[in-house]
Amino acid sequence: MIEPAPLPVVPARSHSLAEQVAGLATGAVLASLGLFVLDAGGATTGGTAGLALLLARVSGWSFTGLLLVVSLPFIALAISRKGWAFTLRSAAALSLVAGFSALHPHAVGLEAADTVYAALVGNLLAGVGILVVFRHGSSLGGFNVVALLCQERLGWPAGYVQMVLDVGVVLAFAAVGDLAVVLATGAGAVLLNLVIAMNHRPGRYTGI
């Protein structure tokens, strides 16, 4: 039997500056669109984005402002543990998410959506957006920073770490949402983190 020829080893190539900018913008658009769909369906997600959505509904304050405020402690953690380059990219991505989140309600006529659909599709969009941002050496702040640190230093898959952290946000949402919405939200948060866990792990990507 003739053995197949081995595949050539292609050296890793880092993203160019233009690719980094395009990647962060793409991830931010997808993540913010996912949050917009979630909000239209009355669902939420985990992480600081989910916490900001929850606080915005309870307080009536701006989601965009709350997202930036609750992310500040994690930005400080990123500076001390991941360095300034990672932190500045993360701050830029987070700012883009906040900006696009403010834009979507004026550009898209989506005032209501089915809760289960919103929870699943919104979290799927957000998960793919976070994955794109991860692949460009950045994060969206919040639990993303903790999850990446655990993966890099302890070898724990980032998606599973974030899934555990997201449980707390889902439980907090249970205090203000009915059971059906909470269950849909929990399923959506699991889907988001499975996207990250299956696609972002050591050895799967060399473009950073």
Side-chain angles (χ1 to χ4, degrees), residues 8 10 20 29 45 50 62 75 81 88 112 116-117 122 131 138 146-147 167:
V10 180
Q20 293 282 36
V29 168
T45 186
S62 164
I75 293 295
R81 299 296 183 180
L88 290 175
V116 175
Y117 172 88
L131 177 65
S138 183
V146 177
V167 168

Side-chain angles (χ1 to χ4, degrees), residues 99-111:
F100 286 127
S101 294
L103 173 65
H104 292 320
H106 302 286
V108 182
L110 181 63
E111 296 181 358

Side-chain angles (χ1 to χ4, degrees), residues 108-135:
V108 182
L110 181 63
E111 296 181 358
D114 177 77
T115 299
V116 175
Y117 172 88
L120 297 178
V121 174
N123 273 292
L124 181 61
L125 285 169
V128 174
I130 293 171
L131 177 65
V132 172
V133 169
F134 278 2
R135 292 289 175 85

Side-chain angles (χ1 to χ4, degrees), residues 24 71-95 133 136-142 145 148-149:
L24 293 183
S71 297
L72 287 177
F74 298 95
I75 293 295
L77 176 64
I79 293 173
S80 64
R81 299 296 183 180
K82 296 282 291 178
W84 277 102
F86 172 88
T87 303
L88 290 175
R89 286 194 297 267
S90 297
L94 180 63
S95 298
V133 169
H136 286 269
S138 183
S139 75
L140 295 180
V145 177
L148 286 173
L149 285 172

Side-chain angles (χ1 to χ4, degrees):
M1 181 181 291
I2 300 176
E3 295 291 334
L7 294 174
V9 177
V10 180
R13 293 188 302 171
S14 298
H15 292 294
S16 66
L17 177 60
E19 290 171 334
Q20 293 282 36
V21 172
L24 293 183
T26 300
V29 168
L30 290 172
S32 61
L33 187 59
L35 293 173
F36 176 65
V37 172
L38 284 166
D39 193 40
T44 188
T45 186
T48 49
L51 182 59
L53 273 176
L54 178 61
L55 292 174
R57 288 176 193 159
V58 172
S59 66
W61 296 349
S62 164
F63 164 75
T64 302
L66 286 169
L67 177 62
L68 296 175
V69 170
V70 298
S71 297
L72 287 177
F74 298 95
I75 293 295
L77 176 64
I79 293 173
S80 64
R81 299 296 183 180
K82 296 282 291 178
W84 277 102
F86 172 88
T87 303
L88 290 175
R89 286 194 297 267
S90 297
L94 180 63
S95 298
L96 285 171
V97 169
F100 286 127
S101 294
L103 173 65
H104 292 320
H106 302 286
V108 182
L110 181 63
E111 296 181 358
D114 177 77
T115 299
V116 175
Y117 172 88
L120 297 178
V121 174
N123 273 292
L124 181 61
L125 285 169
V128 174
I130 293 171
L131 177 65
V132 172
V133 169
F134 278 2
R135 292 289 175 85
H136 286 269
S138 183
S139 75
L140 295 180
F143 294 171
N144 290 176
V145 177
V146 177
L148 286 173
L149 285 172
C150 287
Q151 176 165 298
E152 293 169 4
R153 304 196 176 197
L154 301 174
W156 299 349
Y160 295 131
V161 172
Q162 184 159 309
M163 190 183 300
V164 172
L165 296 173
D166 286 348
V167 168
V169 178
V170 174
L171 291 176
F173 185 64
V176 297
D178 60 49
L179 180 60
V181 177
V182 171
L183 290 176
T185 292
V190 169
L191 178 61
L192 181 154
N193 288 294
L194 283 177
V195 169
I196 298 172
M198 291 188 297
N199 294 284
H200 187 75
R201 58 176 57 187
R204 286 276 173 90
Y205 190 69
T206 58
I208 298 175

